[in-house]
Amino acid sequence: AQSVTQPDIHITVSEGASLELRCNYSYGATPYLFWYVQSPGQGLQLLLKYFSGDTLVQGIKGFEAEFKRSQSSFNLRKPSVHWSDAAEYFCAVGPSGTYKYIFGTGTRLKVLA
Amino acid sequence: EAGVAQSPRYKIIEKRQSVAFWCNPISGHATLYWYQQILGQGPKLLIQFQNNGVVDDSQLPKDRFSAERLKGVDSTLKIQPAKLEDSAVYLCASSLVRGQAPVGTEAFFGQGTRLTVV
């Protein structure tokens, strides 16, 4: 069965520090992969997505993610975190053709001033 | 471009009562999703429509939950009767997908309805 694992429930970083949020997926074929961000009281906003091609994808707000097939991972990175990045981040997998998105449990990011 | 609209934003009901949520997707989006997000968890798909037909409702508790999408546009999700464990945020999303999905299609989410069952 398809699944998404986000091993880190909470992460705290200082403003200006680099960030990496981990995501591992389980799926038989190459999935469509997404990262969404959710601010308190808000819906989910797409940060970036991967379907095929270049395994390093750029997203909005300075985020990037790298697809590593050998590790079944799709980790999210940002070189310098801003206080406004504090939110919850969800990794999701969407099997091609169905667009039935399966979400991980999320990682809550706290940013220290 | 207007986003996905949901109402109400908040709802508090007693257990065994009924409740309904409404969703208006982005204009022209063929696919509509309802997700349930329990506190501390990721969103879980309840039902997926394409136009006004159900694509997937395998995780919808059909003894108490129902959903419809009349005319392939707006959708309503109902719970009757509600249980304490139904307390969650109910998210509606839509995507442009119709038929064979074009690469790059994403789902756009509404702000959600926070339901508290007491």
Side-chain angles (χ1 to χ4, degrees):
Chain A
Q2 302 113 19
S3 65
V4 177
T5 302
Q6 293 181 248
D8 305 305
I9 298 174
H10 298 278
I11 283 187
T12 300
V13 299
S14 298
E15 191 170 20
S18 63
L19 172 70
E20 182 169 29
L21 302 182
R22 296 183 291 165
C23 173
N24 293 96
Y25 67 90
S26 173
Y27 183 65
T30 300
Y32 291 176
L33 295 160
F34 307 82
W35 274 99
Y36 282 86
V37 61
Q38 186 177 36
S39 298
Q42 302 297 312
L44 282 79
Q45 181 185 22
L46 182 70
L47 286 175
L48 47 77
K49 57 194 176 188
Y50 172 79
F51 292 90
S52 64
D54 192 347
T55 57
L56 184 64
V57 294
Q58 303 296 321
I60 62 171
K61 304 184 179 186
F63 286 93
E64 66 178 25
E66 186 171 12
F67 170 60
K68 293 185 177 180
R69 184 190 303 275
S70 61
Q71 298 176 21
S72 297
S73 69
F74 188 58
N75 294 349
L76 181 71
R77 301 194 293 249
K78 186 169 184 178
S80 178
V81 170
H82 188 263
W83 64 267
S84 60
D85 293 325
E88 190 148 24
Y89 292 79
F90 292 94
C91 181
V93 59
S96 61
T98 69
Y99 285 83
K100 184 171 72 175
Y101 304 94
I102 299 168
F103 285 84
T105 51
T107 298
R108 184 170 296 278
L109 174 65
K110 182 177 179 180
V111 180
L112 301 176
Chain B
E1 178 183 78
V4 176
Q6 291 188 247
S7 67
R9 287 295 310 279
Y10 305 92
K11 189 76 176 177
I12 301 174
I13 62 172
E14 295 182 348
K15 58 184 179 183
R16 292 188 288 274
Q17 285 187 324
S18 63
V19 65
F21 313 126
W22 174 81
C23 173
N24 180 235
I26 294 173
S27 177
H29 279 196
T31 300
L32 185 147
Y33 313 80
W34 282 103
Y35 282 85
Q36 180 192 57
Q37 186 178 17
I38 293 173
L39 186 65
Q41 300 181 19
K44 182 185 82 171
L45 180 67
L46 291 176
I47 188 167
Q48 177 183 354
F49 293 93
Q50 184 160 322
N51 298 310
N52 60 350
V54 175
V55 174
D56 187 337
D57 63 356
S58 57
Q59 297 196 83
L60 187 74
K62 298 180 186 61
D63 58 332
R64 299 184 300 105
F65 286 65
S66 65
E68 60 182 8
R69 190 183 184 196
L70 300 177
K71 302 180 182 178
V73 183
D74 293 5
S75 178
T76 303
L77 177 70
K78 296 179 181 178
I79 307 175
Q80 181 179 13
K83 293 184 176 182
L84 295 177
E85 58 260 36
D86 298 331
S87 294
V89 174
Y90 290 86
L91 294 165
C92 179
S94 70
S95 73
L96 196 56
V97 174
R98 62 176 80 235
Q100 191 65 26
V103 175
T105 301
E106 67 189 74
F108 293 84
F109 285 80
Q111 291 184 301
T113 296
R114 181 177 296 278
L115 173 67
T116 302
V117 182
V118 298

